[in-house]
Amino acid sequence: MKKVLIVSSTGMGDCLWATPGIRALKKAFPEVKIDFVANTNWTPLFESNPHLNKVFEYREQWYNQPILGIQLFGRHYDAIFIFHANRNFKRMLPWFRSLPIWCHQNLDWIPPSHRTKIDSHVHAIQRRLIMLENFGVKPDGGQMEIYFDPKTLDKSQQILKNYGFSPKKYVYLNLGAAVESRRWMVDRFFELAKRILNTTSWNIILGGGPNEKNRSLTLLNQLDSPRVAEVCSQPILVNADIISKAGLMVTSDTGPLHIGLAVKTPIVALFGIISPIGSGPYEVPENLCRIIKVNQNDNAEGADSGEFHFGNITVDQVWEQVEKILNEN
């Protein structure tokens, strides 16, 4: 293979799960040029990846898709691998001039002969690697990767310097998630933050995306401490580097969890009814990721979506794991 297109057009985790496969493909075929299509929100996480030739932005709105179509039109690929896509990506097919297209999902717009059948209980990273094995690509481990450019490194370092925070001496609390039902409650983050401030010398960074800005400012005002800062307005790659410099991250099962796993930051990960088997840590040592899982049987019938997912994860449970990791560092 001389030129390949990989498509990963959905969530942040879905896109980061592509990186072990990208690395394995480049190792198997050192001369191959790999183009990558990612959701426009996450492309900064891939633009410095040395294994990639070009990164294209995907926007799911139909009126934005011709922009990507024009960019891809006429580009020849020896293979197109769909690592993960929603049904609306089908609208991109008329723009492709390369066949065949391969996937591991049950996408009805891909011929059955080009769909790799895989056990549903296999981790998402492994699914991508299994598909590539059919083309002579040996797996090269499951570690995800994020690469940082000098400008990003300088900016994150300056932010920490402005707050007076030292690397590996602060806890990153990720407040956000794509949907409300995947967020741990704000009042519990508040209680956890108070315990960290009152019983340790560690600082706290409140993080997430722009949608968490108001939530973080509310907590910032309530905690009223120079040892607490927020970075929700920072670009995603800057936020990722700040996560990489944290001594600990506490997060629900959402995109930034996978940033933390990629940069090898110790994590306390909160999982709701979604099993970590298919989307949690993969080939990650226990000392780098401690999972707290909702016991689905304990949820009251008729509870709202937020309670159904995280209502039974208490501050005491999280604090127990936080203490263990902080004491190890």
Side-chain angles (χ1 to χ4, degrees), residues 173-180 183 186 206-219 230-233 254 256:
L173 303 181
N174 174 47
L175 307 178
V179 292
E180 184 63 34
R183 293 186 175 107
V186 175
L206 306 173
N211 293 336
E212 278 67 58
K213 182 71 173 182
N214 290 337
R215 182 179 298 223
S216 67
L217 289 176
T218 298
L219 275 178
E230 71 88 21
V231 294
C232 293
S233 297
T254 186

Side-chain angles (χ1 to χ4, degrees), residues 19 22 36 42-55 145-153 237-238:
T19 56
I22 291 168
F36 187 60
W42 324 132
T43 52
L45 297 173
F46 303 93
E47 287 170 348
S48 294
N49 190 313
H51 307 311
L52 296 176
N53 176 57
K54 189 169 179 62
V55 178
E145 297 176 314
I146 298 175
Y147 294 87
F148 299 99
D149 61 280
K151 184 178 178 182
T152 295
L153 295 173
L237 197 59
V238 172

Side-chain angles (χ1 to χ4, degrees), residues 5 19 37 59 68 74 84 89 95 111 118 131 189-190 205 223 238 245 253 261 273 290 292-293 304 320:
L5 179 69
T19 56
V37 172
R59 297 173 175 85
L68 174 60
H84 205 260
F89 196 84
W95 296 97
I118 304 172
M131 180 171 66
F189 269 119
F190 174 69
I205 287 184
L223 292 166
V238 172
K245 292 179 169 65
D253 168 29
L261 294 172
I273 61 170
R290 298 169 187 261
I292 299 174
K293 177 80 173 69
D304 66 34
E320 179 182 1

